[in-house]
Amino acid sequence: MDKSLKQNFTVVLLGGGHTNTQVINTLHRNDFPDHTELILVSDGDKAFYSGMIPGFLARLYCESDLVVSLSQLCQSSGWEFIYASVNRIEANRRLIHFEDPNLRALKYDCLLANVGSKTFGSDLPGVKKYAVCTRPLSSLGSRLSELDELHFSKEQSSTSRELVIVGGGAAGCEMAMALQSRWNSRCCLSVTLIVRRLLPQRATRVSTRLRQILQSKGIKLIENSSVSSVNQNHIDLNDDSQIPFDVLIWATGAEAHSFISKNSDLSLSKDGWIEVFPTLQSISHPEVFAAGDCCTFPSMSSPPSKSGVFAVRQGPVLTKNLLAFLNKLPLQAYNPQSDFLSLLMTGDGKALGTKFGIAFYGRWVWKMKDWIDRSWMRTFHNRDSKDSFMDAESISSCKQSLSANTAERVLQIGNESNRNEGLEVYSPRDDEFSEQLQVLEKMSSSPQFAAEVIQHLNKSELSS
């Protein structure tokens, strides 16, 4: 560490998102000079892992499975924890202002912002009053618990209920299936999903497969639609039709927090996101870094979407760059993955996923998603343990021996009814995924191998 740092050099982490929690989990008090102040500011003590939220809402997880206590994490790593809401970032003076007028503004020398986002369109009249927004994650579980008692108690089991979800991204689709699983046994439940476009950022064959899954579950899908107004018992669509609801879920994507978009002097995009270089460093204030939903990359032609997948991958880069910044060393660039493994829970012990243009669906996909998510949480819940199910060394050794022919047999084409729906991946054993994960890992590390596997799959599809 640079010994020339001035006395009382203050590092502030703003927000307990997927990226900042990694910084605290990795960098402890003894990694810094004694005179460095290390502070986390958050408006809540619980950090929820977004990848497990749908499973939690479907009652497949309990809260402790997907929550990190920020106060405990800070205590174990030697960071100070300030539980407060922020209403302004005054970057020119390096000050953070709080909503509580009794709290003095916090001075920083280096700021790492990872505050997430709010739900897009939540300012539309009626949304905050009559709908449940999917952001912030910290309040979602408690809101749904209230609805459990209000609409889905045992005394109301004979009552019909209308559940409407607005939003066609991964969150809206997973919410529709998760809440159907949560409430379907408690009443006669009708579920409607309203979208402009289903999974707009995913491959067409994935949205086609998801459309079929939704149909098989009896979930009504209204496409090419948007909401014009929200009322107490119904919403109005852009075609003047009305959709009644008992419960309305608002899952319409990400929007910048107003304390950044309206009350900050940082360089911002037109949508209010903090503009950063690929190093995650603010383009206007070099002592400020930002990661996750709250930032954008003006130098990238295709910046990453607002997804926890990217925030998780930014964690190691932000950690290294914090140390590099303090030591006046060159910063590392973050290179977002162009084709990430996408896994959507379907609420019934199965999941739908995609990578390399191949669609995955079945119980083994859910088992793989569950293993990946639990492995991530174990890095916080038991920081000294190693994953006992499948370690990286065993995966690596298996990958070396895989051939494209072997991979093609592992990644089998679906049955006759699926041949016109695009490539499908099935496991020989419905609850196992280790061989499939090995194939996907090797395809990720070797573009040539990936091309060979896809070629084999295409040939198998044509000959079937």
Side-chain angles (χ1 to χ4, degrees):
M1 185 66 63
D2 184 8
K3 300 301 182 181
S4 66
L5 287 177
K6 67 178 184 179
Q7 292 294 316
N8 300 320
F9 190 93
T10 302
V11 176
V12 174
L13 273 58
L14 179 57
H18 299 343
T19 311
N20 275 353
T21 51
Q22 289 182 75
V23 174
I24 300 173
N25 203 33
T26 305
L27 299 179
H28 299 192
R29 168 72 266 175
N30 56 10
D31 293 318
F32 298 87
D34 292 340
H35 56 260
T36 308
E37 292 186 80
L38 305 173
I39 301 171
L40 169 67
V41 176
S42 175
D43 60 359
D45 180 48
K46 295 178 180 179
F48 287 78
Y49 176 45
S50 60
M52 297 174 76
I53 285 286
F56 169 60
L57 300 180
R59 302 186 190 280
L60 299 175
Y61 299 119
C62 60
E63 185 177 283
S64 60
D65 291 328
L66 66 150
V67 168
V68 174
S69 169
L70 295 177
S71 59
Q72 292 179 13
L73 181 65
C74 286
Q75 183 177 15
S76 65
S77 295
W79 290 67
E80 180 184 352
F81 178 55
I82 296 178
Y83 186 173
S85 296
V86 172
N87 67 4
R88 184 184 175 196
I89 299 176
E90 193 177 1
N92 288 338
R93 296 179 61 199
R94 300 186 182 183
L95 290 174
I96 296 173
H97 298 270
F98 300 102
E99 288 187 358
D100 186 346
N102 296 317
L103 291 178
R104 293 180 57 186
L106 178 63
K107 183 79 172 180
Y108 63 82
D109 296 289
C110 181
L111 174 66
L112 280 61
N114 181 213
V115 295
S117 56
K118 65 178 183 178
T119 305
F120 181 82
S122 58
D123 292 330
L124 182 72
V127 171
K128 292 179 180 178
K129 187 173 183 179
Y130 301 119
V132 175
C133 293
T134 53
R135 290 178 171 91
L137 297 178
S138 56
S139 63
L140 184 57
S142 60
R143 289 293 306 276
L144 292 178
S145 294
E146 294 172 3
L147 293 174
D148 286 341
E149 298 299 322
L150 184 62
H151 293 295
F152 302 101
S153 63
K154 292 182 179 179
E155 293 77 14
Q156 298 172 310
S157 58
S158 60
T159 306
S160 297
R161 295 296 184 195
E162 297 285 343
L163 169 63
V164 174
I165 299 95
V166 178
C173 297
E174 287 188 300
M175 287 287 287
M177 295 182 284
L179 296 180
Q180 183 188 57
S181 175
R182 180 187 183 102
W183 289 326
N184 204 35
S185 62
R186 297 196 178 191
C187 67
C188 180
L189 183 66
S190 173
V191 183
T192 301
L193 178 61
I194 300 172
V195 308
R196 289 183 177 175
R197 182 183 168 195
L198 190 64
L199 295 183
Q201 297 178 332
R202 308 295 166 88
T204 300
R205 58 168 52 102
V206 180
S207 58
T208 298
R209 191 69 182 94
L210 178 59
R211 194 175 287 107
Q212 295 163 349
I213 294 170
L214 293 172
Q215 183 178 8
S216 71
K217 292 177 173 293
I219 296 175
K220 182 180 180 182
L221 180 63
I222 300 177
E223 300 189 72
N224 303 311
S225 295
S226 60
V227 177
S228 57
S229 64
V230 176
N231 303 282
Q232 184 172 2
N233 298 307
H234 72 272
I235 57 176
D236 297 312
L237 300 185
N238 56 340
D239 61 0
D240 295 328
S241 61
Q242 290 187 343
I243 305 295
F245 67 82
D246 295 292
V247 176
L248 176 63
I249 306 296
W250 202 258
T252 50
E255 184 177 325
H257 288 295
S258 58
F259 72 84
I260 291 178
S261 63
K262 298 178 181 179
N263 294 321
S264 167
D265 50 5
L266 291 163
S267 177
L268 305 175
S269 70
K270 61 181 178 60
D271 296 321
W273 308 115
I274 300 173
E275 293 185 315
V276 297
F277 295 115
T279 56
L280 305 176
Q281 189 177 37
S282 165
I283 68 173
S284 61
H285 294 76
E287 70 282 353
V288 175
F289 293 78
D293 281 7
C294 70
C295 74
T296 191
F297 300 83
S299 64
M300 295 184 185
S301 57
S302 298
S305 59
K306 305 303 180 184
S307 168
V309 171
F310 296 104
V312 167
R313 293 292 185 94
Q314 290 167 2
V317 177
L318 188 62
T319 302
K320 292 176 183 178
N321 283 349
L322 171 59
L323 293 178
F325 177 78
L326 297 180
N327 286 283
K328 301 179 181 178
L329 296 174
L331 303 182
Q332 175 182 323
Y334 161 69
N335 297 307
Q337 59 272 42
S338 59
D339 183 20
F340 61 92
L341 178 62
S342 173
L343 301 168
L344 274 69
M345 185 214 69
T346 56
D348 52 1
K350 298 180 182 179
L352 172 67
T354 181
K355 192 172 174 67
F356 310 110
I358 305 170
F360 322 106
Y361 179 62
R363 294 188 184 280
W364 73 268
V365 186
W366 166 250
K367 292 287 185 179
M368 180 170 64
K369 174 175 170 54
D370 178 64
W371 176 76
I372 292 171
D373 290 340
R374 288 184 184 274
S375 297
W376 164 257
M377 290 305 300
R378 272 195 290 273
T379 65
F380 295 96
H381 290 162
N382 191 347
R383 295 158 78 174
D384 297 323
S385 71
K386 293 184 178 180
D387 181 66
S388 59
F389 185 86
M390 185 192 306
D391 59 44
E393 184 176 343
S394 66
I395 292 175
S396 178
S397 63
C398 291
K399 285 193 296 181
Q400 299 305 316
S401 62
L402 284 171
S403 68
N405 285 325
T406 302
E408 188 270 328
R409 288 195 296 273
V410 172
L411 304 185
Q412 298 177 48
I413 300 299
N415 58 30
E416 181 72 30
S417 63
N418 290 323
R419 285 180 188 159
N420 295 325
E421 300 166 8
L423 295 177
E424 296 279 337
V425 181
Y426 292 85
S427 173
R429 287 171 27 204
D430 200 34
D431 62 347
E432 187 54 84
F433 66 88
S434 58
E435 289 181 320
Q436 289 72 32
L437 183 57
Q438 292 160 20
V439 170
L440 294 171
E441 288 278 348
K442 186 170 182 180
M443 290 173 75
S444 296
S445 61
S446 172
Q448 181 179 352
F449 179 75
E452 291 173 357
V453 172
I454 293 172
Q455 184 179 24
H456 277 276
L457 287 168
N458 281 322
K459 287 181 179 178
S460 297
E461 183 184 44
L462 291 173
S463 62
S464 299

